[in-house]
Amino acid sequence: MFVGFLCLYLFTASRSVPFGDATPMWEAAEGLVRHFSFAIETRWPVNAPAGRGGHYYPVAALLACLVHVPGALLQMLLNQILPGRVNPGLVFTSQLGPLVLGALAPVLFFRLLKQLGYDLRQAAVSTLLLGAGTSVWVYAHRPYSEILQVVCFIIFLGALLRAAETPTQRSFLRLGFAAALLVNSKNVYAACLPGAGLYLFLRFRPDRQLIIRALLWSGVGFLPGVVALAAYNYVRWGSIMASGYGAVTTGFWRENILVGLWGQFLSPGKSVFLYSPPLILALFGIRRLVMRRPNVALAIALTVGPVILLYARYVFWSGDWAWGPRYLVFALPALLLPVAELFGADASHPGRSRRSLSIALGAACLTGGAVQVLGNAYHWSDFTNVSIEAQHAWLGRPNVAGTPLAPDPCFSCFEHLYPIQWLPTMQPIAGHWWLLRHQIAGDPWRVAEADAPWKRYTSLTLDIHKSYDAVEFDWWLSGPAQFGWLPVLLIAFLLALAIPVRPWIAALRSESPHGH
């Protein structure tokens, strides 16, 4: 399964270099392998304060930088082998960590489902939907930290559920260590910990001694993460308590929570159901999950819920610039988990319902896969730039003097990005489909603009030539070959290794013991 998804993600890899939030993470990894320092050259975000020694440092969490160290080491080696080229292979080395983590996420999800007692077919179907039908596929190509967060949250959720079922010293140590990984993937996930503690308290309520042991040994397992976090903070800011995150988000936690939830789940531009269509199918499994595995449903609610509510209060709740609601990517495995209840031995259906379920499954696979192909076709900044240029020509240039970041420039503020969040005319999925059709045909901007999504509402010809002409396919095989046939041979080798995928495909077709 790992090799199969790695082949898929590698074959569809991006040709973009680190951009936006990924820039300081990558620069920090390069600084570590070259100078043993987290100092970076790029000030990002634009309001980031200077740290120790007057240098700028990444605001991102420790693991978000460390995950790029293998790629940075490979990049340093390539620079020595090919000294005449500028950062040869950067598009691959900067994706190395995310690609591996992306392939690991479905494997961990599969193991979690088996741990929870789901049969082979339930686990196989759900894993296919996660790896090929949700935004996990897109974020496996981006040197951002979201795919790392997905992996760490699956590990954490699995450790929490295992500790509740088998309350041993080892399981509590594992839970503490998993929590440390999660918090060091992004510090905001400390919001998961009170819910996890409450979950264990409710499970062990009759046994106070067990509660004490759970807290004690989980704390021991969590301690290395606390030490690492404190050391990382001190190295950057000179204080073990300063993460840098609070300094760059002060004053941003003021959105109406209902508006934030509406945007994350139901807005035309950023609804998580649009960017990960299999979640719609998962809705039909929630009742079964609550009835059959109430402890699992409770654990998800107590750990995922607080983070979703927290980000609903964030002015930048959409996570732009990004593909879909970026801050919900970590929760995709947990939100998709109820879909497993619709398949398998313990989900009996009459013949007509089974046909309907098969149709729904096929629709979820096709629509989910299609959305991710569109997401991978271009870097998300391409259509964002087109939409902003069209907005300026059609709706006017916004007054940005009052943004939360003023007087610093704000690239993700409401003034610039409200069209792709709230207006169907600038819907990014539709926008990528529009770009793809015209890019394949080789149409100039005037031809493409003639049937742009906004043409349903205006007869004006909007001048988008600068942003449209800058659009390129974000597929590494569509760019100039930097290593000749080496990447193709590598893919062929990995595809040959994909033979272990065959048993997994057989699991998708398997009949459950009770004839389902």
Side-chain angles (χ1 to χ4, degrees):
M1 188 180 299
F2 175 82
V3 174
F5 277 110
L6 183 60
C7 287
L8 174 65
Y9 296 161
L10 181 61
F11 182 73
T12 57
S14 168
R15 57 176 293 193
S16 299
V17 298
F19 175 84
D21 286 358
T23 301
M25 303 177 201
W26 176 253
E27 288 186 1
E30 285 192 313
L32 278 175
V33 301
R34 293 177 179 176
H35 316 296
F36 301 102
S37 170
F38 284 103
I40 59 177
E41 297 180 0
T42 304
R43 183 189 184 189
W44 190 266
V46 293
N47 63 336
R52 293 187 66 190
H55 300 292
Y56 290 111
Y57 293 90
V59 175
L62 176 60
L63 288 181
C65 300
L66 295 184
V67 75
H68 288 298
V69 168
L73 285 170
L74 178 58
Q75 183 62 56
M76 184 171 64
L77 178 62
L78 291 175
N79 289 338
Q80 294 174 354
I81 296 175
L82 302 170
R85 301 187 183 184
V86 179
N87 289 329
L90 179 60
V91 296
F92 173 73
T93 56
S94 61
Q95 292 180 76
L96 180 59
L99 285 169
V100 173
L101 289 172
L104 183 60
V107 178
L108 293 173
F109 185 59
F110 181 87
R111 293 187 64 184
L112 175 62
L113 290 167
K114 295 296 292 179
Q115 172 189 329
L116 298 179
Y118 291 103
D119 66 33
L120 190 60
R121 185 168 186 266
Q122 288 173 303
V125 169
S126 303
T127 300
L128 175 64
L129 291 175
L130 177 72
T134 72
S135 298
V136 165
W137 187 353
V138 173
Y139 283 91
H141 296 151
R142 305 298 178 201
Y144 281 54
S145 64
E146 274 66 31
I147 197 64
L148 168 68
Q149 297 163 34
V150 170
V151 168
C152 290
F153 188 79
I154 296 175
I155 295 173
F156 170 73
L157 182 60
L160 176 62
L161 294 170
R162 186 178 295 278
E165 293 300 323
T166 57
T168 63
Q169 176 181 323
R170 182 177 180 181
S171 65
F172 292 138
L173 286 170
R174 184 180 299 172
L175 172 60
F177 186 71
L181 290 177
L182 181 63
V183 172
N184 280 285
S185 71
K186 192 170 187 178
N187 298 157
V188 74
Y189 293 118
C192 297
L193 304 187
L198 177 59
Y199 175 73
L200 293 179
F201 173 80
L202 294 174
R203 291 300 306 274
F204 304 151
R205 184 169 45 186
D207 190 341
R208 293 186 178 181
Q209 292 298 321
L210 184 55
I211 294 174
I212 294 174
R213 290 203 305 272
L215 292 175
L216 174 63
W217 290 113
S218 296
V220 172
F222 188 67
L223 184 59
V226 175
V227 173
L229 176 61
Y232 182 53
N233 289 343
Y234 183 79
V235 165
R236 292 179 298 163
W237 316 110
S239 169
I240 63 173
M241 301 300 295
S243 69
Y245 193 70
V248 300
T249 61
T250 300
F252 295 170
W253 305 94
R254 61 190 188 190
E255 178 61 275
N256 183 299
I257 195 169
L258 296 179
V259 173
L261 292 173
W262 177 19
Q264 290 173 333
F265 289 96
L266 295 175
S267 65
K270 285 292 180 174
S271 168
V272 69
F273 296 109
L274 293 175
Y275 290 86
S276 297
L279 294 183
I280 299 174
L281 186 60
L283 292 176
F284 295 93
I286 292 178
R287 182 175 178 274
R288 293 173 183 263
L289 179 67
V290 173
M291 296 293 292
R292 296 175 179 176
R293 294 175 172 85
N295 292 328
V296 175
L298 179 62
I300 292 173
L302 290 176
T303 55
V304 174
V307 180
I308 292 178
L309 292 174
L310 184 64
Y311 273 123
R313 288 281 297 165
Y314 196 43
V315 172
F316 307 116
W317 53 264
S318 66
D320 286 306
W321 301 25
W323 184 245
R326 178 158 60 100
Y327 299 135
L328 294 190
V329 173
F330 85 98
L332 289 178
L335 297 178
L336 187 67
L337 196 147
V339 82
E341 297 289 344
L342 303 177
F343 306 92
D346 58 350
S348 59
H349 305 279
R352 180 172 297 179
S353 297
R354 290 184 61 185
R355 288 194 295 273
S356 300
L357 186 59
S358 297
I359 293 173
L361 175 60
C365 289
L366 290 175
T367 55
V371 168
Q372 309 324 314
V373 168
L374 291 175
N376 288 319
Y378 301 99
H379 193 281
W380 51 56
S381 62
D382 284 342
F383 182 72
T384 301
N385 284 324
V386 170
S387 71
I388 290 175
E389 191 172 17
Q391 170 200 353
H392 291 174
W394 178 27
L395 305 176
R397 290 183 176 272
N399 185 343
V400 296
T403 70
L405 282 173
D408 291 319
C410 183
F411 306 104
S412 298
C413 286
F414 177 83
E415 289 85 345
H416 285 307
L417 297 182
Y418 73 86
I420 67 170
Q421 294 172 355
W422 299 108
L423 303 184
T425 53
M426 303 294 183
Q427 215 290 328
I429 299 174
H432 277 222
W433 171 238
W434 164 70
L435 283 175
L436 184 62
R437 290 187 290 111
H438 289 287
Q439 290 284 308
I440 291 176
D443 294 331
W445 76 268
R446 288 186 181 276
V447 174
E449 199 277 340
D451 70 346
W454 54 79
K455 283 299 186 180
R456 300 194 300 270
Y457 299 92
T458 180
S459 60
L460 296 174
T461 298
L462 307 183
D463 187 351
I464 57 170
H465 79 277
K466 290 183 179 179
S467 57
Y468 180 84
D469 291 347
V471 171
E472 295 180 335
F473 289 119
D474 195 26
W475 185 33
W476 67 279
L477 284 176
S478 67
Q482 301 189 54
F483 299 104
W485 285 97
L486 179 59
V488 178
L489 293 175
L490 177 61
I491 288 178
F493 175 71
L494 289 174
L495 288 175
L497 292 178
I499 294 174
V501 174
R502 293 175 61 187
W504 177 65
I505 295 176
L508 292 172
R509 300 174 178 175
S510 66
E511 293 293 329
S512 64
H514 291 82
H516 173 62

